[in-house]
Amino acid sequence: MTIFKELKERGLIFQTTDEEALEKQLAEGPLALYSGYDPTADSLHLGHLVPIIVIRHLQLAGHKPYALVGGATGLIGDPSFKDSERSLQTKETVENWSQSIQKQLARFLDFEHGDNKAEMVNNYDWFQSISFIDFLRDIGKYFTVNYMMSKESVKKRIETGISYTEFAYQIMQGYDFYELNRTHNVTLQVGGSDQWGNMTAGTELLRRKANKQGHVITVPLITDSSGKKLGKSEGNAIWLDANKTSPYEMYQYFVNTMDDDAVRFLKIFTFLSLEEIEEIRVAFEQEPHKRLAQKILAKEVVTLVHGKEAFDKAINITEQLFAGNIKNLSANELKQGLNNVPNYHVTKEDNLNIVDLLVTANVVTSKRQAREDVTNGAIYINGDRVQDVNYILSDVDKIDGELTVIRRGKKKYFVLTY
């Protein structure tokens, strides 16, 4: 199976500019390709992982990837399918975010070995020396206003308003492709399906200015079987930075994948062979209650993004919380595992009697309910049952001096911080 056919089989290709010609070029020998990432935050998120995986597949097949960080385009802002103008960031902020993203990209591609080792580039390096007049004369003349306005990313904003800054974004991205072709013979760009208009601006510039054919692969917008955009949980992105989304949270996100999506996501998000995935599918469908596909998916993604040690810690947190072994976990591990549970910051003025504190921390609504819960054995402090209504919390109840975990019943957790 050719690499192009494998990418299609995995569900990783949404659109291409000339499928037959591209498949032929990929089969004939190594080509240079790139994928760009604007520093719109200090971390990439799950949506960015899909094109990264595509270029990693292509590198494993012998092709040479260039990872582009948009130090210049990040100063402008991509209007693609945004309802309003992006807030412009300072050069210092964009530079800091660019450095963070470069470090993240280095985890996924091989930058050290072989003739096709990956290279990192930043489009600020070529845009900083181009004058406005030169850019208009040498690049702008190849784009008509009609062509630029035909892009869906622009058409959706015409009625609400779009600045010239964002209107010109597609020309800048188009020039990236031209510049990488000129300097590194890059002939393929990989990106998200929302980038089609910006990416084909590059193939158009290559055709008109250099009389060359460039190719584009867009990856699909990944949604679950309910149509929900993947990577969004309670309105928050699943970040690739462990400080923004912990490995435990990422593990839980994938291990709770719906049955209808699990095998499909194995094809998209892992480097397991299609044969291995087929074996998993057969076993999974025979005993879906064991959630084999989800467990393997979560393991592969967390290990890919954060490493095996982080995955092992995520598993440990999961197992200890399930067993109620709170004292076997550190404060840092508990912060990951109980990140989304209600919490209350205890002050010096708070009464530390268990009954009073249960009410103050909103664990229960009344002292009567608190006394009943304690007496009936429904309250646990750091995994230990407390049935004395006169119990006073002290420093010995603080894990690593930072927090105390209260459990009410079997599954309702609350965290006290100090």
Side-chain angles (χ1 to χ4, degrees):
M1 182 183 296
T2 66
I3 182 59
F4 187 83
K5 283 186 168 60
E6 178 173 350
L7 292 175
K8 290 194 73 173
E9 178 68 22
R10 288 179 175 273
L12 286 169
I13 294 180
F14 180 69
Q15 283 177 299
T16 60
T17 41
D18 187 336
E19 182 171 318
E20 184 177 344
L22 174 57
E23 184 173 10
K24 181 180 179 183
Q25 285 194 25
L26 287 169
E28 286 178 346
L31 57 76
L33 60 118
Y34 91 99
S35 186
Y37 304 89
D38 273 356
T40 56
D42 59 356
S43 172
L44 299 173
H45 56 69
L46 200 57
H48 295 115
L49 187 57
V50 184
I52 293 173
I53 286 173
V54 171
I55 60 176
R56 176 59 177 161
H57 275 295
L58 289 166
Q59 183 179 33
L60 290 171
H63 305 287
K64 184 178 178 67
Y66 289 82
L68 183 148
V69 176
T73 42
L75 290 167
I76 301 302
D78 179 7
S80 295
F81 304 100
K82 300 296 180 184
D83 294 329
S84 59
E85 193 93 0
R86 291 178 184 268
S87 298
L88 294 179
Q89 303 296 330
T90 66
K91 287 185 177 180
E92 181 181 12
T93 297
V94 171
E95 172 61 24
N96 290 335
W97 288 353
S98 295
Q99 292 177 7
S100 296
I101 289 173
Q102 285 178 344
K103 291 178 182 178
Q104 288 185 336
L105 288 169
R107 301 181 201 160
F108 303 104
L109 303 172
D110 185 351
F111 285 85
E112 297 180 0
H113 306 99
D115 294 335
N116 68 326
K117 64 183 180 183
E119 293 189 34
M120 195 81 69
V121 292
N122 188 322
N123 60 15
Y124 189 79
D125 292 339
W126 50 82
F127 275 112
Q128 66 176 329
S129 60
I130 302 176
S131 74
F132 183 66
I133 291 176
D134 288 341
F135 190 72
L136 287 180
R137 285 176 58 86
D138 296 340
I139 307 301
K141 68 178 180 180
Y142 292 104
F143 292 88
T144 67
V145 172
N146 289 344
Y147 173 82
M148 295 173 68
M149 289 185 65
S150 70
K151 302 294 185 181
E152 287 297 321
S153 57
V154 172
K155 287 165 66 175
K156 291 177 71 71
R157 284 277 299 280
I158 290 297
E159 293 186 6
T160 58
I162 183 172
S163 69
Y164 178 77
T165 304
E166 289 196 345
F167 181 60
Y169 181 93
Q170 60 180 282
I171 302 181
M172 294 183 69
Q173 187 164 329
Y175 184 71
D176 285 342
F177 201 165
Y178 173 82
E179 178 66 14
L180 288 173
N181 175 268
R182 184 183 71 82
T183 55
H184 301 292
N185 198 31
V186 168
T187 56
L188 169 64
Q189 182 181 180
V190 176
S193 58
D194 62 335
Q195 292 295 303
W196 176 259
N198 294 330
M199 293 164 73
T200 52
T203 60
E204 180 70 3
L205 182 60
L206 270 178
R207 183 185 67 82
R208 299 194 64 188
K209 184 172 174 61
N211 194 30
K212 293 181 179 179
Q213 182 181 27
H215 297 284
V216 162
I217 289 177
T218 64
V219 302
L221 175 67
I222 309 298
T223 60
D224 62 26
S225 54
S226 70
K228 181 180 178 182
K229 185 178 179 181
L230 196 67
K232 300 292 182 180
S233 176
E234 302 298 327
N236 298 316
I238 303 298
W239 300 97
L240 304 188
D241 185 334
N243 294 317
K244 296 168 78 73
T245 299
S246 71
Y248 169 82
E249 290 174 299
M250 181 175 285
Y251 177 82
Q252 290 299 317
Y253 182 85
F254 279 102
V255 85
N256 287 304
T257 297
M258 290 183 284
D259 288 354
D260 291 343
D261 298 318
V263 173
R264 178 166 66 94
F265 289 170
L266 279 170
K267 293 180 181 180
I268 292 171
F269 287 102
T270 81
F271 289 90
L272 297 173
S273 70
L274 292 172
E275 291 76 18
E276 289 174 304
I277 294 172
E278 177 60 17
E279 291 177 3
I280 294 168
R281 182 193 67 78
V282 172
F284 170 61
E285 292 183 353
Q286 289 175 346
E287 298 179 295
H289 62 281
K290 291 186 176 180
R291 303 183 69 77
L292 175 67
Q294 286 95 334
K295 291 176 180 178
I296 294 175
L297 171 67
K299 175 184 178 180
E300 292 294 321
V301 176
V302 173
T303 303
L304 172 67
V305 176
H306 297 295
K308 186 178 184 304
E309 183 178 349
F311 164 73
D312 290 339
K313 288 182 178 180
I315 286 292
N316 182 55
I317 295 171
T318 301
E319 292 175 346
Q320 298 300 337
L321 285 179
F322 182 79
N325 298 327
I326 301 300
K327 291 181 179 178
N328 289 348
L329 297 171
S330 67
N332 183 56
E333 290 171 327
L334 287 167
K335 288 176 184 177
Q336 295 182 50
L338 301 175
N339 181 49
N340 294 316
V341 308
N343 65 83
Y344 176 77
H345 183 71
V346 179
T347 67
K348 294 180 179 179
E349 289 74 31
D350 286 320
N351 187 331
L352 298 182
N353 169 267
I354 186 64
V355 171
D356 291 298
L357 195 56
L358 288 175
V359 177
T360 305
N362 294 317
V363 177
V364 297
T365 56
S366 68
K367 288 188 177 182
R368 179 187 62 80
Q369 185 66 60
R371 283 191 290 269
E372 285 184 9
D373 283 353
V374 172
T375 302
N376 294 334
I379 299 299
Y380 297 78
I381 302 296
N382 297 333
D384 296 331
R385 178 178 282 155
V386 174
Q387 290 184 275
D388 179 4
V389 294
N390 295 313
Y391 187 86
I392 304 296
L393 273 76
S394 65
D395 287 346
V396 299
D397 297 306
K398 299 177 182 179
I399 295 176
D400 296 341
E402 296 184 37
L403 54 83
T404 300
V405 178
I406 296 177
R407 191 178 94 223
R408 184 187 181 207
K410 292 183 177 181
K411 294 184 178 179
K412 293 184 178 179
Y413 282 98
F414 304 82
V415 174
L416 305 179
T417 60
Y418 301 91

